[in-house]
Amino acid sequence: MLIRQRRGWDLPELSATPESVFLNRRSVLAAGAAFAGGALGAGVRFPSARAEGASLYPAKRNEAYTLDRPLTPEADNTNYNNFYEYGTSKHVASAAEALKPDPWTVTIDGLVEKPRQVAFEDLLKALPLEERLYRHRCVEAWSMTVPWTGFPLKAFVDYAKPLGSAKYMQLQTFMDPKMAPGQKSFFYPWPYIEGVTMAEATNELAFMVTGAYGKPLPNVMGAPLRLALPWKYGFKSVKSITKISFVEERPKTFWAALGPDEYGFWANVNPAVPHPRWSQASEAILGTDDRKPTLLYNGYAAQVASLYDGMKGENLFM
Ligand SMILES: Nc1nc2c(c(=O)[nH]1)N[C@H]1C(S)=C(S)[C@@H](COP(=O)(O)O)O[C@H]1N2
Ligand SMILES: [Mo]
């Protein structure tokens, strides 16, 4: 595993903090103005759903989620990504400009009270946004720290109203080889699919992401809607989601289909369980030359360890 990153970021490490506090105040004022405008001028429309959504950022930070290290500078984050729909290189930001996140529809189906299709902007209206600072750990052993904006996955579950018989939530990326040339490769089992149990989906940490760094999500990070499961390896955090299905059977996930001996369904972070081809004992912190020891459940054991009580026969850590 080779990580070549320039260190040349000269911003003070946590400069994002005071700035977004300032911006939050400004966005509260802007929201007040928009509300007043709406009351006076019914029928005034924003130029596009995306512009309308943009006024929701930056969202108020949920201070319950704190970090033990600085945020990864935005430029480092957007220049080192995994988005196989746009190629297997880490430098896919310009290729991902072909993604069209607006308009965007999310299908909700399977074991739900009422299957339906929702416009992405209607999700934004229904589910209040907040900002959370999370760590992200790729199975390749690099890591980053990101200010995500979004809503708890549990809020989405309540919105979708699954039936009691639903055992898993399956999340699927768009399928459009014209928009995503990587999907022309027959080597991969497109579309990208991930899944979690209902207990995982409703855990407080599971987060549906619509923005990062106080702005709507850039294409390369999986616009307009991606997952963040900070206690699991990054491949679980599926990007550019178009379909969410509530199902009884465990979903056949993209990486587990491709390499069942290397990538499992659970994929919980554990320093003591190596990947078959490399150690997971430590992680390389993106944008620095530093490594840190990997933590069990990526440091989130207090919130999630009890999800796995008594699951003896399961491969929880691959
Ligand atoms: N649809 C889709 N989702 C995906 C991937 C992908 O290739 N396609 N890569 C995964 C992997 S391996 C990681 S580490 C994260 C990377 O997210 P980032 O590029 O925003 O850092 O996205 C995950 N979600
Ligand atoms: Mo990853």
Side-chain angles (χ1 to χ4, degrees):
M1 180 67 212
L2 243 186
I3 297 194
R4 244 191 281 273
Q5 272 301 124
R6 277 184 301 114
R7 295 197 76 170
W9 43 287
D10 39 20
L11 282 172
E13 287 173 344
L14 284 168
S15 66
T17 308
E19 187 193 15
S20 70
V21 169
F22 166 70
L23 289 172
N24 278 339
R25 267 187 39 223
R26 213 175 54 177
S27 71
V28 168
L29 294 175
F35 183 76
L40 292 170
V44 172
R45 292 196 71 86
F46 289 89
S48 78
R50 190 135 173 100
E52 186 179 351
S55 70
L56 300 171
Y57 301 86
K60 191 174 183 322
R61 185 173 295 173
N62 181 338
E63 302 289 350
Y65 303 96
T66 54
L67 298 174
D68 61 349
R69 63 194 78 173
L71 289 171
T72 302
E74 185 176 359
D76 289 319
N77 189 332
T78 46
N79 287 299
Y80 195 88
N81 300 89
N82 277 326
F83 202 171
Y84 276 41
E85 283 80 349
Y86 291 98
T88 56
S89 130
K90 299 290 186 234
H91 310 287
V92 286
S94 55
E97 284 310 295
L99 170 62
K100 292 188 186 60
D102 181 23
W104 195 268
T105 306
V106 179
T107 299
I108 302 172
D109 67 7
L111 303 168
V112 283
E113 277 180 21
K114 202 196 267 176
R116 57 184 160 149
Q117 297 201 318
V118 226
F120 174 67
E121 63 265 25
D122 290 337
L123 272 186
L124 286 182
K125 281 180 194 137
L127 303 165
L129 299 184
E130 63 182 61
E131 183 178 72
R132 293 188 183 187
L133 309 182
Y134 272 6
R135 286 181 295 99
H136 173 102
R137 171 62 153 76
C138 178
V139 72
E140 297 161 340
W142 55 268
S143 71
M144 58 179 182
T145 16
V146 195
W148 296 123
T149 307
F151 43 81
L153 192 57
K154 176 167 191 319
F156 177 83
V157 171
D158 294 342
Y159 172 88
K161 298 197 170 64
L163 302 176
S165 50
K167 293 205 173 75
Y168 297 90
M169 187 179 190
Q170 173 175 311
L171 304 102
Q172 188 177 311
T173 300
F174 69 85
M175 180 65 194
D176 184 351
K178 281 204 233 47
M179 187 167 79
Q183 292 182 329
K184 290 182 182 148
S185 163
F186 295 110
F187 181 74
Y188 296 98
W190 309 111
Y192 200 105
I193 285 177
E194 260 308 332
V196 287
T197 64
M198 291 308 298
E200 290 176 325
T202 52
N203 182 273
E204 61 146 314
L205 273 185
F207 199 54
M208 195 67 116
V209 170
T210 63
Y213 296 90
K215 292 170 287 193
L217 212 51
N219 286 358
V220 76
M221 292 187 207
L225 188 68
R226 61 91 59 81
L227 200 56
L229 303 168
W231 72 99
K232 293 180 177 285
Y233 290 118
F235 65 83
K236 296 291 295 183
S237 293
V238 48
K239 293 178 167 181
S240 303
I241 297 164
T242 48
K243 188 157 104 154
I244 298 178
S245 312
F246 293 89
V247 296
E248 215 176 320
E249 302 280 304
R250 185 175 297 181
K252 288 183 177 51
T253 56
F254 180 84
W255 285 103
L258 194 62
D261 301 330
E262 302 201 356
Y263 310 99
F265 173 77
W266 298 101
N268 295 309
V269 175
N270 188 336
V273 180
H275 183 274
R277 291 185 279 128
W278 59 84
S279 164
Q280 296 289 23
S282 70
E283 60 194 44
I285 300 174
L286 201 62
T288 76
D289 296 329
D290 303 339
R291 294 193 80 94
K292 271 192 190 271
T294 302
L295 300 171
L296 182 61
Y297 294 110
N298 201 27
Y300 295 100
Q303 291 96 331
V304 300
S306 67
L307 287 171
Y308 308 103
D309 282 348
M311 289 197 187
K312 287 285 177 282
E314 296 287 344
N315 256 329
L316 290 173
F317 303 107
M318 70 157 278

